[in-house]
Amino acid sequence: MKLQRKNRLRATALGALAVSGALVLTACGSDDNTSGNTGGTGGKTSAASNIKCDGAKGQLLASGSSAQKNAMDLWIKNYMAACSGVEINYKSSSSGEGIIAFNQGTVAFAGSDSALKPEEVAESKKICKTGQGINLPMVGGPIAVGFHLEGVDSLTLDASTLAKIFDNKIKKWNDPAIAKLNEGAKLPAKAIQAFHRSEDSGTTQNLGKYLGAAAPSDWKYEAEKKWPAPGGQAASGSAGVAAQVKQVDGSIGYFELSYASSQSITTVDINTGGAAPVKATSENASKAIAAAKIKGTGKDLALDLDYTTKAEGAYPLVLVTYEVACDTGNKSDTLSTVKSFLTYTASDEGQKVLTEAGYAPIPTEINAKVRETVAGLS
């Protein structure tokens, strides 16, 4: 009965991955590593990849950021194909829910688009008996601002206009502030329908950090995971916001580039004050993330991003998703699998998947420290 239940769980997990990752996998092409598997224990390496299973076994539960969902789907697919006998289930919910689950001890690691707060670190010490939760930057990328406006196929906005739109201060698409940034465009006198995340979200927090840094006189809210401004319409998860923008004429919203790419949603170019407006691309996001500095101490690798960059071709509205794990005090039954899986996601092979899926790899110098820290998890 236990074997039958395990097989049913595995089939369910693989089925969910196939459906949720279908759009991305179609865009990226198949990366099927199911042939030539060598199995999951004893530090064996799959013949179809460089993934080292290193004693990984059993079921691993994780949850959190929906921003990294499409990357996580690909990582899990590749990893489970290489390491037989391992089942990884990642629940794409939100950064806030992921951190709560981690600090309750119900998941082995969490995904979060913002670094742990001091009170969250303190709470993690109850679970990480001999250590604490640390931030491991694993996924980078642009927060795309997608829009749907019939008759308009390109749009440039700056931090000030974005702040006023999301704060319900600019209400029509033909507002003079928007028209000034888009000379020659035929902007309709249509009401703007701005969509935001309904749940606590690291993507929301990173948007708030950008608006607060780049347009401080127009965005007076603290950068929090909960949406702070009045008005607008709420949708669940990045997928929910993207779906609404795709469907509703006159709409605008924010989500990771992979959601825009998979649903063919047109994205806003951002006027940073540099030589030319910057498009939301993985390459342009990488230019901004490359300037990030580590602000965490010890084994914590939280980053400080420059949201006000005017560097040529640097897209400033970026986020970094962290995998949150215990530095020490990890549960013995999941430690080997956590280390093996995160070793893969931080590897050259794992980071290459990010570019193919519309994300940005973590800069080499920072990623080297991630690998070193993952190797030392205990």
Side-chain angles (χ1 to χ4, degrees), residues 231-250:
Q233 300 180 58
S236 177
S238 291
V241 175
Q244 290 298 320
V245 172
K246 176 73 173 179
Q247 185 176 5
V248 178
D249 184 22

Side-chain angles (χ1 to χ4, degrees), residues 18-70:
V19 173
S20 64
L23 291 174
V24 174
L25 293 174
T26 300
C28 299
S30 176
D31 189 17
D32 187 357
N33 293 331
T34 54
S35 62
N37 293 352
T38 59
T41 61
K44 293 180 180 179
T45 301
S46 167
S49 71
N50 294 317
I51 297 174
K52 293 183 178 179
C53 302
D54 286 335
K57 60 183 179 179
Q59 185 183 62
L60 185 68
L61 300 178
S63 69
S65 164
S66 66
Q68 68 171 357
K69 177 187 182 300
N70 293 331

